Amino acid sequence: MRRYKGALEASIMKRNLIVLTVLSFISLASLAENWEVPIVLDGATPITAEELVDLIDQMDNLVLIDARQTEQFKQGTIKGSISLPNTKTSPGALSNLAPDKLTPLVFYCDGLSCPHSMKSVKKAVSYGYVNIFWFRGGIAEWTEKGLPIKHKGK
C-alpha cells in the first residue's frame, strides 16, 4: 500500500509541474503579445509620420532605413528607404550608407510591437551616430495615415 501511495504522490507532483509549466508559457506568450517598444530611446529623436514627411521634404541628405527583414521590405516600404535589417546593422554597413556620423538617419520597422528599428537605433548610437530619428510607429502608422507605400518593381 505504501508503494502505491508513493507512486500516486509522484504522479500528482509530476502533473502539477506540467500544469505550472504550461501556465508559465501561456503567461509569457500573453506578455509578448502586449509588448510595445519604449516611447523614447537614448540618442534618438522620436518622430511621427507627419514629421517624417517634413524631414523627407527638408533634408536632402536624410538616410531612411527600413530595419525590417528583407522579405518584409519587398512587400512594401516608404519611398526612398534603404533596406538594412537590424540583424545586419553594423559599423561597416552604416558607414557605407552614411560615412559622416552627423548624417541624419531615420530608422523604422513595422510599428509599436516590432523591435527591429529600436535595436538598429541602439546600435547606431553605440557606433557614434548623433543625428538619429526614430519613426517608432513605422509602416503601421504610415499606412494608417494613408501615406503611399512603394512596392517592389514600382
Side-chain angles (χ1 to χ4, degrees):
M1 183 75 156
R2 185 174 224 173
R3 192 166 103 200
Y4 293 115
K5 186 177 180 184
L8 180 60
E9 287 174 348
S11 175
I12 291 171
M13 287 178 64
K14 184 177 179 181
R15 184 197 67 194
N16 288 344
L17 182 60
I18 290 170
V19 169
L20 286 173
T21 301
V22 169
L23 289 175
S24 294
F25 281 120
I26 290 170
S27 294
L28 288 174
S30 173
L31 286 174
E33 286 178 16
N34 297 323
W35 183 85
E36 281 191 7
V37 293
I39 294 172
V40 295
L41 290 175
D42 288 341
T45 303
I47 59 172
T48 63
E50 293 84 3
E51 291 168 323
L52 177 54
V53 169
D54 290 343
L55 287 176
I56 291 169
D57 288 343
Q58 296 167 3
M59 297 182 167
D60 292 334
N61 62 340
L62 183 73
V63 178
L64 186 55
I65 300 172
D66 186 330
R68 299 175 301 156
Q69 300 306 308
T70 305
E71 299 77 34
Q72 294 168 300
F73 178 83
K74 289 177 182 175
Q75 293 172 3
T77 191
I78 299 170
K79 184 178 179 181
S81 296
I82 297 166
S83 177
L84 181 59
N86 73 295
T87 55
K88 295 184 179 179
T89 301
S90 66
L94 278 177
S95 179
N96 286 337
L97 298 175
D100 182 351
K101 293 189 177 183
L102 296 175
T103 302
L105 305 174
V106 175
F107 291 92
Y108 72 92
C109 56
D110 277 333
L112 302 181
S113 62
C114 178
H116 298 311
S117 62
M118 174 189 73
K119 291 176 181 179
S120 292
V121 164
K122 288 180 177 183
K123 288 179 183 181
V125 169
S126 75
Y127 304 151
Y129 287 86
V130 295
N131 200 3
I132 300 171
F133 298 92
W134 181 36
F135 180 29
R136 180 177 177 264
I139 281 287
E141 180 183 333
W142 189 262
T143 56
E144 183 180 292
K145 302 282 182 176
L147 295 165
I149 295 292
K150 180 183 183 287
H151 295 278
K152 186 179 178 197
K154 294 183 181 178

